[in-house]
Amino acid sequence: MADKAQIQAAIKVQGEVVRKLKAEKANKEQIDEEVAKLLELKAQLGGDEGKHQFVLKTAKGTRDYNPKQMAIREKVFNTIVSCFKRHGAETIDTPVFELKETLTGKYGEDSKLIYDLKDQGGELLSLRYDLTVPFARYLAMNKITNIKRYHIAKVYRRDNPAMTRGRYREFYQCDFDIAGQYDPMIPDAECLKIVHEILSELELGDFRIKVNDRRILDGMFAVCGVPDEKFRTICSTVDKLDKMAWEDVKNEMVKDKGLSEEVADQIGNYVSMQGGMDLAERLLQDPKLSQSKQACAGLMDMKQLFSYLELFQVTDKVVFDLSLARGLDYYTGIIYEAVLMQTLPAPTPTSQEQNGAVGEDAGVSVGSVAGGGRYDGLVGMFDPKGKKVPCVGVSIGIERIFSIMEQKAEASAEKVRTTETQVLVASAQKNLLEERLRLTAELWNAGIKAEVMYKKNPKLLSQLQHCEETGIPLVAILGEQELKDGVVKLRTVATREEADVSRAELVNEIKKRTSES
Amino acid sequence: MADKAQIQAAIKVQGEVVRKLKAEKANKEQIDEEVAKLLELKAQLGGDEGKHQFVLKTAKGTRDYNPKQMAIREKVFNTIVSCFKRHGAETIDTPVFELKETLTGKYGEDSKLIYDLKDQGGELLSLRYDLTVPFARYLAMNKITNIKRYHIAKVYRRDNPAMTRGRYREFYQCDFDIAGQYDPMIPDAECLKIVHEILSELELGDFRIKVNDRRILDGMFAVCGVPDEKFRTICSTVDKLDKMAWEDVKNEMVKDKGLSEEVADQIGNYVSMQGGMDLAERLLQDPKLSQSKQACAGLMDMKQLFSYLELFQVTDKVVFDLSLARGLDYYTGIIYEAVLMQTLPAPTPTSQEQNGAVGEDAGVSVGSVAGGGRYDGLVGMFDPKGKKVPCVGVSIGIERIFSIMEQKAEASAEKVRTTETQVLVASAQKNLLEERLRLTAELWNAGIKAEVMYKKNPKLLSQLQHCEETGIPLVAILGEQELKDGVVKLRTVATREEADVSRAELVNEIKKRTSES
């Protein structure tokens, strides 16, 4: 524990930070975050004074979803799950934590981002970092050699959060994978078809799916004269081309990673190439690249892939891009990544950014929204005998998609409904609570989505207002006269039209009116 | 680290355990668990010998859900969510971990069951123990005074797992809560109506919903002469009445908790009472109990509750039961718990149980499948000014329900489908892969759930077998002749009937045939 004087000094500094941000009218999230830090410090001090100042926040890099966000999330998930089911996928679920050793040695440098659980006796556990490694563990553990499955769940990374840009420490992944020994490129092509379907259906604007192959990259490195042991690290550098200019990437290759200028320039020549099946054909004739068996195998498969993509009618969005590298170590064949062409409005600059350090992707494209590839070796890492199960899959990065959908919802005039209630059972008169409850239960029992206000004598106006606010389309109004006549006054909120409906006909009438909309 | 000799000794003992279980033909799960322990020990030893023996398992008390289990889970969730939506609920989501201090002081003794995350710098975090405390934190943080929400998510308890009986360390809760200042017992009655609807729709057999009120319990303790400071601990003892005989409960009250025999007997007299509105009326006349203002307030509300339950037509399953106490500290009014009347088949006795320590609920009722109550003080614990938001809610304990549904599915002749595929695109002839892929894409684009085998030339028999195994009802068969004629041979798997359908009519024909089933 820091001592009191230290904390008081820290509070003073943090107070300055908050004041400065407020003076600069920085964005709310940034201010809230710094205020939370201040409160946390004060709470530490408060403890000494016997008065606990509670910090009311979620953990760093996480957020609650409110009902409106959940309604949007549900819509996005429904689109994605429908697509996965249309392609005949089953689903599985795995625990949120795994034995620590299950995750060990799978993520390279990123292992430092894994959340560990405290050792409370028993096993050492970690929160899952992705859904791919648990999937491979599941296959090996259950000796499954054949499955097409999807898995939608949260994963955890102690990364530097950038919440306005949709980067969180707790976030959803929507994974679709095909495991099994099949003829080349057929399941791979289906994964790309799925990305195409989902991004089209979500109406996120124009997009491109970049494809490449690890074997083509490795062959390229080899013929350019990169030493074998530098393949993976040069691969990481190439991976930065979507965020850095070629000059900077080249600099890193030469100065940091010790390639000669000549080798770097040769790589530069290749990674600037983009095309389709034609490019694969041209590169098969390339006097240098065709020297590499690996590259040729990759290029032949790329041709095959494009022929299937033509049958699937998705080549309009797919680009064979030699600069695509992807970070993870476990890919063994084709890799791909989908990017949206639209740019997000630049987030309000934070104080740090105003001070010169501009966020690397501020105001530019929202970047990758899906990615994946073939990983034929991962399951074998879990099998006691090293038995391999070839896999190919794709992961939809849902948080950025949520951000875009939320912005679209904000901009749109249409209100997002957070409930599906079809009718409110209401009354203009007093002492009719019991009659309202009785009718509501009748409607529930008939499968109608109905609400009733939890007041003995609510005002009609407040009942109607509740409908306006939450988008309930119908009101079933009860009064002494209606009860006597065996009818209900059914009111359409939008038009204010009212009509008496016999009690026996009410359920059908509500169903009819709400199925139209 | 234990030394090598210790581990070797432990391996020997554990080896005996496994051999014994196998000899006794104990159930598979039990054996698997003990084998896993053995492998773990061997792995520790293996490490010393430079050879890593990987332990392929999920964390203790957790499990994977395979596709069949997921299909059942989806069905149960759909029933529950439909009910929540029928009652006009919105949904929210909160992070899987909270600041440790958010959970501190909310669960009494059970706090020791909370999973903490390792301190990796930054905040101290814990996995959520339930959904109620995060809900209260959410309300206070966002200053929400009015909401009807459901939340379905996993919670975490480092409890002693009993997986064959549906007790896990990671498990789902399905919570429905109503927050807001309303007229008494209306939202409370809706919560009970919801439990009634869900348990009826899931067809789990007969059930009872026990209700009581913390104020009645406290009033009863007061008039029986229990000292104030012992209310909560005696309440915990009463809570054991569903698992222990009265004599044992009395013993605990007298010997462990220091009540006099006479006081205990008076409590015993009350807690044996069960009834409905009549019992509430009778107790309001009880010369002793009616001395307690608190008890009278609870009894008046109980009468009110039963009058609403009558309107909702659910009194057949609801019992006012003075022995219901519930463990959690935060309840302030009505409490309830639903129990199934059917008994599960006794699980195969484990070795420990054979050695005398019989599991406390082996072979008896599956116990509580839903529970909840009113907690008017919890939100105030998070509000800086202590502002209260009255809440009432219910939590559906889904794991036990899953266990029952799984057993029902096993026993039933009907096969659980794990995909929704409507049609397999197949061929009896060679070299038609491209035509199969083209047709499959046509069907996907028309919204048909379709599969195609990832082989260049699969045998017709293996394509038909795939349909039989996974329950795909239709096969669209392509051949040279069909392609020439512009038709597809559409085969019904169950009847083996085949008919040529024109390519233009295929989508409609598939929709027609699969909507019937």
Side-chain angles (χ1 to χ4, degrees), chain A residues 323-354:
Chain A
S323 74
L324 178 71
R326 289 192 65 75
L328 285 170
D329 277 4
Y330 52 61
Y331 292 118
T332 55
I334 186 177
I335 47 177
Y336 34 82
E337 202 166 282
V339 291
L340 300 183
M341 305 306 280
Q342 73 161 131
T343 56
L344 274 183
T348 317
T350 63
S351 66
Q352 283 153 15
E353 287 167 356
Q354 283 179 338

mmCIF file of all heavy atoms in Angstrom, chain A residues 323-354:
data_model
loop_
_atom_site.group_PDB
_atom_site.id
_atom_site.type_symbol
_atom_site.label_atom_id
_atom_site.label_comp_id
_atom_site.label_asym_id
_atom_site.label_seq_id
_atom_site.Cartn_x
_atom_site.Cartn_y
_atom_site.Cartn_z
ATOM 1 N N SER A 323 0.245 -8.270 -49.659
ATOM 2 C CA SER A 323 0.698 -7.597 -48.436
ATOM 3 C C SER A 323 -0.024 -8.112 -47.190
ATOM 4 O O SER A 323 0.327 -7.763 -46.074
ATOM 5 C CB SER A 323 0.483 -6.085 -48.555
ATOM 6 O OG SER A 323 -0.892 -5.773 -48.425
ATOM 7 N N LEU A 324 -1.062 -8.926 -47.374
ATOM 8 C CA LEU A 324 -1.787 -9.439 -46.210
ATOM 9 C C LEU A 324 -0.955 -10.527 -45.524
ATOM 10 O O LEU A 324 -0.545 -11.501 -46.160
ATOM 11 C CB LEU A 324 -3.149 -10.018 -46.627
ATOM 12 C CG LEU A 324 -3.963 -10.617 -45.476
ATOM 13 C CD1 LEU A 324 -4.496 -9.531 -44.555
ATOM 14 C CD2 LEU A 324 -5.089 -11.487 -45.983
ATOM 15 N N ALA A 325 -0.687 -10.345 -44.225
ATOM 16 C CA ALA A 325 0.170 -11.312 -43.524
ATOM 17 C C ALA A 325 -0.506 -11.922 -42.300
ATOM 18 O O ALA A 325 -0.363 -13.099 -42.023
ATOM 19 C CB ALA A 325 1.478 -10.646 -43.111
ATOM 20 N N ARG A 326 -1.276 -11.166 -41.546
ATOM 21 C CA ARG A 326 -1.942 -11.583 -40.284
ATOM 22 C C ARG A 326 -0.947 -12.007 -39.210
ATOM 23 O O ARG A 326 0.048 -12.653 -39.483
ATOM 24 C CB ARG A 326 -2.983 -12.681 -40.525
ATOM 25 C CG ARG A 326 -4.202 -12.125 -41.257
ATOM 26 C CD ARG A 326 -5.392 -13.033 -41.303
ATOM 27 N NE ARG A 326 -5.997 -13.326 -40.004
ATOM 28 C CZ ARG A 326 -6.751 -12.491 -39.310
ATOM 29 N NH1 ARG A 326 -6.990 -11.285 -39.748
ATOM 30 N NH2 ARG A 326 -7.269 -12.860 -38.158
ATOM 31 N N GLY A 327 -1.311 -11.620 -37.957
ATOM 32 C CA GLY A 327 -0.347 -11.766 -36.871
ATOM 33 C C GLY A 327 -0.136 -13.184 -36.339
ATOM 34 O O GLY A 327 0.987 -13.595 -36.085
ATOM 35 N N LEU A 328 -1.218 -13.958 -36.204
ATOM 36 C CA LEU A 328 -1.097 -15.200 -35.443
ATOM 37 C C LEU A 328 -0.197 -16.244 -36.098
ATOM 38 O O LEU A 328 -0.148 -16.379 -37.307
ATOM 39 C CB LEU A 328 -2.490 -15.799 -35.216
ATOM 40 C CG LEU A 328 -3.286 -15.058 -34.145
ATOM 41 C CD1 LEU A 328 -4.729 -15.522 -34.143
ATOM 42 C CD2 LEU A 328 -2.668 -15.294 -32.766
ATOM 43 N N ASP A 329 0.494 -16.970 -35.248
ATOM 44 C CA ASP A 329 1.480 -17.948 -35.710
ATOM 45 C C ASP A 329 0.860 -19.194 -36.328
ATOM 46 O O ASP A 329 1.492 -19.867 -37.133
ATOM 47 C CB ASP A 329 2.331 -18.416 -34.517
ATOM 48 C CG ASP A 329 3.465 -17.446 -34.232
ATOM 49 O OD1 ASP A 329 3.532 -16.396 -34.913
ATOM 50 O OD2 ASP A 329 4.271 -17.735 -33.333
ATOM 51 N N TYR A 330 -0.378 -19.525 -35.919
ATOM 52 C CA TYR A 330 -0.831 -20.886 -36.224
ATOM 53 C C TYR A 330 -1.369 -21.111 -37.635
ATOM 54 O O TYR A 330 -1.680 -22.235 -37.995
ATOM 55 C CB TYR A 330 -1.807 -21.407 -35.165
ATOM 56 C CG TYR A 330 -3.012 -20.546 -34.816
ATOM 57 C CD1 TYR A 330 -3.959 -20.204 -35.758
ATOM 58 C CD2 TYR A 330 -3.217 -20.120 -33.498
ATOM 59 C CE1 TYR A 330 -5.054 -19.450 -35.424
ATOM 60 C CE2 TYR A 330 -4.321 -19.354 -33.153
ATOM 61 C CZ TYR A 330 -5.237 -19.029 -34.116
ATOM 62 O OH TYR A 330 -6.332 -18.290 -33.770
ATOM 63 N N TYR A 331 -1.445 -20.050 -38.447
ATOM 64 C CA TYR A 331 -1.940 -20.250 -39.816
ATOM 65 C C TYR A 331 -0.945 -21.022 -40.659
ATOM 66 O O TYR A 331 0.265 -20.819 -40.562
ATOM 67 C CB TYR A 331 -2.254 -18.913 -40.478
ATOM 68 C CG TYR A 331 -3.433 -18.211 -39.867
ATOM 69 C CD1 TYR A 331 -3.293 -16.977 -39.255
ATOM 70 C CD2 TYR A 331 -4.685 -18.800 -39.878
ATOM 71 C CE1 TYR A 331 -4.376 -16.339 -38.663
ATOM 72 C CE2 TYR A 331 -5.774 -18.175 -39.295
ATOM 73 C CZ TYR A 331 -5.610 -16.947 -38.684
ATOM 74 O OH TYR A 331 -6.686 -16.323 -38.101
ATOM 75 N N THR A 332 -1.465 -21.891 -41.507
ATOM 76 C CA THR A 332 -0.581 -22.735 -42.324
ATOM 77 C C THR A 332 -0.867 -22.614 -43.814
ATOM 78 O O THR A 332 -0.100 -23.109 -44.626
ATOM 79 C CB THR A 332 -0.755 -24.219 -41.938
ATOM 80 O OG1 THR A 332 -2.147 -24.556 -42.053
ATOM 81 C CG2 THR A 332 -0.288 -24.484 -40.528
ATOM 82 N N GLY A 333 -1.990 -22.010 -44.203
ATOM 83 C CA GLY A 333 -2.340 -21.927 -45.619
ATOM 84 C C GLY A 333 -2.968 -20.590 -45.923
ATOM 85 O O GLY A 333 -2.421 -19.538 -45.572
ATOM 86 N N ILE A 334 -4.149 -20.643 -46.522
ATOM 87 C CA ILE A 334 -4.836 -19.419 -46.894
ATOM 88 C C ILE A 334 -5.149 -18.571 -45.656
ATOM 89 O O ILE A 334 -5.421 -19.109 -44.574
ATOM 90 C CB ILE A 334 -6.132 -19.742 -47.664
ATOM 91 C CG1 ILE A 334 -6.762 -18.472 -48.186
ATOM 92 C CG2 ILE A 334 -7.092 -20.544 -46.812
ATOM 93 C CD1 ILE A 334 -7.991 -18.707 -49.017
ATOM 94 N N ILE A 335 -5.030 -17.244 -45.817
ATOM 95 C CA ILE A 335 -5.428 -16.291 -44.770
ATOM 96 C C ILE A 335 -6.283 -15.218 -45.433
ATOM 97 O O ILE A 335 -6.159 -14.973 -46.629
ATOM 98 C CB ILE A 335 -4.212 -15.633 -44.080
ATOM 99 C CG1 ILE A 335 -3.212 -15.139 -45.130
ATOM 100 C CG2 ILE A 335 -3.536 -16.601 -43.118
ATOM 101 C CD1 ILE A 335 -2.011 -14.415 -44.540
ATOM 102 N N TYR A 336 -7.170 -14.603 -44.637
ATOM 103 C CA TYR A 336 -8.002 -13.537 -45.212
ATOM 104 C C TYR A 336 -8.439 -12.551 -44.144
ATOM 105 O O TYR A 336 -8.394 -12.840 -42.934
ATOM 106 C CB TYR A 336 -9.221 -14.100 -45.942
ATOM 107 C CG TYR A 336 -9.788 -15.348 -45.334
ATOM 108 C CD1 TYR A 336 -10.650 -15.284 -44.236
ATOM 109 C CD2 TYR A 336 -9.441 -16.605 -45.830
ATOM 110 C CE1 TYR A 336 -11.153 -16.434 -43.666
ATOM 111 C CE2 TYR A 336 -9.942 -17.756 -45.258
ATOM 112 C CZ TYR A 336 -10.793 -17.666 -44.175
ATOM 113 O OH TYR A 336 -11.280 -18.802 -43.598
ATOM 114 N N GLU A 337 -8.885 -11.415 -44.613
ATOM 115 C CA GLU A 337 -9.271 -10.335 -43.717
ATOM 116 C C GLU A 337 -10.244 -9.451 -44.484
ATOM 117 O O GLU A 337 -9.987 -9.109 -45.640
ATOM 118 C CB GLU A 337 -8.017 -9.534 -43.349
ATOM 119 C CG GLU A 337 -8.142 -8.741 -42.077
ATOM 120 C CD GLU A 337 -6.780 -8.252 -41.599
ATOM 121 O OE1 GLU A 337 -6.028 -9.053 -41.012
ATOM 122 O OE2 GLU A 337 -6.474 -7.081 -41.831
ATOM 123 N N ALA A 338 -11.365 -9.098 -43.844
ATOM 124 C CA ALA A 338 -12.332 -8.226 -44.507
ATOM 125 C C ALA A 338 -12.211 -6.820 -43.945
ATOM 126 O O ALA A 338 -12.110 -6.646 -42.726
ATOM 127 C CB ALA A 338 -13.747 -8.748 -44.294
ATOM 128 N N VAL A 339 -12.204 -5.825 -44.811
ATOM 129 C CA VAL A 339 -12.156 -4.430 -44.361
ATOM 130 C C VAL A 339 -13.322 -3.672 -44.982
ATOM 131 O O VAL A 339 -13.717 -3.921 -46.127
ATOM 132 C CB VAL A 339 -10.830 -3.733 -44.753
ATOM 133 C CG1 VAL A 339 -9.678 -4.305 -43.955
ATOM 134 C CG2 VAL A 339 -10.554 -3.855 -46.236
ATOM 135 N N LEU A 340 -13.876 -2.739 -44.178
ATOM 136 C CA LEU A 340 -14.927 -1.868 -44.705
ATOM 137 C C LEU A 340 -14.271 -0.700 -45.421
ATOM 138 O O LEU A 340 -13.230 -0.203 -44.989
ATOM 139 C CB LEU A 340 -15.793 -1.355 -43.554
ATOM 140 C CG LEU A 340 -16.502 -2.420 -42.719
ATOM 141 C CD1 LEU A 340 -17.385 -1.758 -41.670
ATOM 142 C CD2 LEU A 340 -17.333 -3.337 -43.599
ATOM 143 N N MET A 341 -14.893 -0.246 -46.512
ATOM 144 C CA MET A 341 -14.310 0.854 -47.272
ATOM 145 C C MET A 341 -14.680 2.201 -46.672
ATOM 146 O O MET A 341 -13.963 3.178 -46.851
ATOM 147 C CB MET A 341 -14.801 0.802 -48.725
ATOM 148 C CG MET A 341 -14.535 -0.526 -49.416
ATOM 149 S SD MET A 341 -12.801 -1.012 -49.340
ATOM 150 C CE MET A 341 -12.129 -0.017 -50.668
ATOM 151 N N GLN A 342 -15.820 2.289 -45.979
ATOM 152 C CA GLN A 342 -16.235 3.567 -45.411
ATOM 153 C C GLN A 342 -15.287 3.962 -44.285
ATOM 154 O O GLN A 342 -14.672 3.129 -43.640
ATOM 155 C CB GLN A 342 -17.660 3.481 -44.867
ATOM 156 C CG GLN A 342 -17.761 2.687 -43.573
ATOM 157 C CD GLN A 342 -19.043 2.963 -42.791
ATOM 158 O OE1 GLN A 342 -19.728 2.053 -42.375
ATOM 159 N NE2 GLN A 342 -19.370 4.228 -42.592
ATOM 160 N N THR A 343 -15.168 5.257 -44.037
ATOM 161 C CA THR A 343 -14.390 5.696 -42.878
ATOM 162 C C THR A 343 -15.351 6.200 -41.825
ATOM 163 O O THR A 343 -16.387 6.778 -42.132
ATOM 164 C CB THR A 343 -13.426 6.827 -43.260
ATOM 165 O OG1 THR A 343 -14.195 7.884 -43.839
ATOM 166 C CG2 THR A 343 -12.389 6.340 -44.262
ATOM 167 N N LEU A 344 -14.991 5.937 -40.584
ATOM 168 C CA LEU A 344 -15.786 6.442 -39.469
ATOM 169 C C LEU A 344 -15.434 7.911 -39.268
ATOM 170 O O LEU A 344 -14.310 8.313 -39.506
ATOM 171 C CB LEU A 344 -15.429 5.688 -38.191
ATOM 172 C CG LEU A 344 -16.159 4.393 -37.916
ATOM 173 C CD1 LEU A 344 -15.711 3.849 -36.576
ATOM 174 C CD2 LEU A 344 -17.656 4.631 -37.889
ATOM 175 N N PRO A 345 -16.390 8.703 -38.765
ATOM 176 C CA PRO A 345 -16.001 10.064 -38.379
ATOM 177 C C PRO A 345 -14.912 9.979 -37.311
ATOM 178 O O PRO A 345 -14.959 9.121 -36.436
ATOM 179 C CB PRO A 345 -17.294 10.659 -37.813
ATOM 180 C CG PRO A 345 -18.239 9.529 -37.630
ATOM 181 C CD PRO A 345 -17.786 8.402 -38.495
ATOM 182 N N ALA A 346 -13.913 10.864 -37.409
ATOM 183 C CA ALA A 346 -12.829 10.850 -36.424
ATOM 184 C C ALA A 346 -13.390 11.084 -35.040
ATOM 185 O O ALA A 346 -14.217 11.964 -34.855
ATOM 186 C CB ALA A 346 -11.828 11.929 -36.767
ATOM 187 N N PRO A 347 -12.988 10.266 -34.054
ATOM 188 C CA PRO A 347 -13.455 10.520 -32.697
ATOM 189 C C PRO A 347 -12.905 11.851 -32.197
ATOM 190 O O PRO A 347 -11.850 12.295 -32.643
ATOM 191 C CB PRO A 347 -12.877 9.347 -31.900
ATOM 192 C CG PRO A 347 -11.796 8.766 -32.744
ATOM 193 C CD PRO A 347 -12.080 9.135 -34.158
ATOM 194 N N THR A 348 -13.649 12.471 -31.274
ATOM 195 C CA THR A 348 -13.175 13.719 -30.680
ATOM 196 C C THR A 348 -11.750 13.515 -30.184
ATOM 197 O O THR A 348 -11.497 12.585 -29.421
ATOM 198 C CB THR A 348 -14.066 14.088 -29.476
ATOM 199 O OG1 THR A 348 -15.411 13.850 -29.839
ATOM 200 C CG2 THR A 348 -13.860 15.533 -29.075
ATOM 201 N N PRO A 349 -10.809 14.352 -30.589
ATOM 202 C CA PRO A 349 -9.430 14.112 -30.171
ATOM 203 C C PRO A 349 -9.295 14.200 -28.659
ATOM 204 O O PRO A 349 -9.891 15.078 -28.027
ATOM 205 C CB PRO A 349 -8.635 15.231 -30.852
ATOM 206 C CG PRO A 349 -9.606 16.149 -31.486
ATOM 207 C CD PRO A 349 -10.962 15.547 -31.433
ATOM 208 N N THR A 350 -8.573 13.290 -28.084
ATOM 209 C CA THR A 350 -8.347 13.331 -26.653
ATOM 210 C C THR A 350 -7.160 14.231 -26.382
ATOM 211 O O THR A 350 -6.435 14.613 -27.297
ATOM 212 C CB THR A 350 -8.034 11.934 -26.116
ATOM 213 O OG1 THR A 350 -6.817 11.507 -26.725
ATOM 214 C CG2 THR A 350 -9.133 10.961 -26.454
ATOM 215 N N SER A 351 -6.947 14.584 -25.127
ATOM 216 C CA SER A 351 -5.883 15.538 -24.788
ATOM 217 C C SER A 351 -4.533 15.018 -25.258
ATOM 218 O O SER A 351 -3.711 15.746 -25.778
ATOM 219 C CB SER A 351 -5.856 15.781 -23.286
ATOM 220 O OG SER A 351 -5.484 14.594 -22.636
ATOM 221 N N GLN A 352 -4.307 13.710 -25.084
ATOM 222 C CA GLN A 352 -3.025 13.156 -25.517
ATOM 223 C C GLN A 352 -2.824 13.372 -27.006
ATOM 224 O O GLN A 352 -1.750 13.740 -27.462
ATOM 225 C CB GLN A 352 -2.971 11.655 -25.229
ATOM 226 C CG GLN A 352 -2.708 11.350 -23.783
ATOM 227 C CD GLN A 352 -3.283 10.012 -23.393
ATOM 228 O OE1 GLN A 352 -3.627 9.224 -24.255
ATOM 229 N NE2 GLN A 352 -3.381 9.761 -22.102
ATOM 230 N N GLU A 353 -3.901 13.139 -27.746
ATOM 231 C CA GLU A 353 -3.776 13.274 -29.184
ATOM 232 C C GLU A 353 -3.544 14.739 -29.571
ATOM 233 O O GLU A 353 -2.786 15.033 -30.484
ATOM 234 C CB GLU A 353 -5.015 12.695 -29.869
ATOM 235 C CG GLU A 353 -5.006 11.175 -29.796
ATOM 236 C CD GLU A 353 -6.335 10.553 -30.163
ATOM 237 O OE1 GLU A 353 -7.291 11.289 -30.408
ATOM 238 O OE2 GLU A 353 -6.396 9.319 -30.205
ATOM 239 N N GLN A 354 -4.187 15.635 -28.831
ATOM 240 C CA GLN A 354 -3.968 17.054 -29.095
ATOM 241 C C GLN A 354 -2.512 17.420 -28.841
ATOM 242 O O GLN A 354 -1.958 18.304 -29.481
ATOM 243 C CB GLN A 354 -4.879 17.904 -28.201
ATOM 244 C CG GLN A 354 -6.312 17.920 -28.707
ATOM 245 C CD GLN A 354 -7.215 18.732 -27.826
ATOM 246 O OE1 GLN A 354 -6.921 18.963 -26.659
ATOM 247 N NE2 GLN A 354 -8.331 19.183 -28.371
#
